[in-house]
Amino acid sequence: WDADQAARVAALEKSAWCGRALDALVRAAPAPDRVVCCGLGSIFESRNAQWQLAFLELVSRACGVGAEAYDPILCAAERDALRRLGVGAGAPLGAGAPPPPPRALYFMPHCPMALYAEVLRRHAPRLDGLVIVGNSFASYAARKIGDDMDADIAAALARVVEVAADPGRDSDLERPFNDM
């Protein structure tokens, strides 16, 4: 698995899409304290999660900071594999979670809207230091009507600056990174 993951990182590193996405990300988050990944999924069972992990590694490297990942479905062997890659164990975001870093970069591939809302609530006093790489909030707004839209996301929409990082429909990377 380790060799296959290294090959995914190398392939992604050569991708023009990845280069553009990382450049935009470094401009948006020039000095994050930490990269926090939520909702990665099973890195042994999911092809999408494996590509997303490769991107997480490249994001961490491009920003020059460590990364941590949390997903309740990760098994002990997957957490060990993450540690071998230098990705620390993250904590759940709910009640009792440690305070967030002041300048946080969250990588949240295909997370449910409620998890994005929780990140916004945790950072409410200082949203200007928050960068989220994940689903488009504008897409959420376009798909949700009335009470279906989370209030924290609706309130943040006026302050959100989105930069599309979707690789496009004709790419092999469409499934792991669509709507990003």
Side-chain angles (χ1 to χ4, degrees):
W1 183 89
D2 291 11
D4 289 343
Q5 188 61 22
R8 279 185 284 275
V9 171
L12 198 54
E13 202 167 26
K14 293 176 186 172
S15 159
W17 164 80
C18 184
R20 289 189 306 273
L22 290 173
D23 287 345
L25 185 56
V26 169
R27 282 192 307 276
D33 296 314
R34 192 111 181 114
V35 177
V36 179
C37 180
C38 303
L40 188 59
S42 172
I43 61 171
F44 288 168
E45 302 295 325
S46 168
R47 178 186 176 278
N48 289 347
Q50 293 162 356
W51 283 105
Q52 291 162 354
L53 175 58
F55 188 71
L56 174 64
E57 289 183 64
L58 292 172
V59 167
S60 177
R61 189 182 311 161
C63 292
V65 296
E68 60 187 48
Y70 174 77
D71 193 312
I73 71 163
L74 292 171
C75 68
E78 289 172 314
R79 289 190 300 272
D80 287 342
L82 289 171
R83 274 192 290 278
R84 286 194 308 273
L85 297 174
V87 178
L93 295 179
R103 291 179 321 275
L105 191 161
Y106 284 84
F107 179 45
M108 302 174 65
H110 304 136
C111 287
M113 185 173 23
L115 195 52
Y116 290 102
E118 180 62 30
V119 168
L120 291 173
R121 279 190 291 280
R122 295 184 79 222
H123 286 273
R126 54 185 189 283
L127 285 177
D128 292 340
L130 176 63
V131 173
I132 299 174
V133 179
N135 294 346
S136 164
F137 285 11
S139 290
Y140 277 147
R143 292 186 304 244
K144 298 294 179 180
I145 299 171
D147 293 338
D148 287 344
M149 185 67 179
D150 184 278
D152 292 300
I153 291 177
L157 277 171
R159 296 179 64 190
V160 168
V161 176
E162 288 194 357
V163 177
D166 187 312
R169 296 211 183 279
D170 295 331
S171 170
D172 292 337
L173 301 173
E174 176 189 0
R175 288 196 52 120
F177 301 108
N178 68 334
D179 197 31
M180 189 167 79

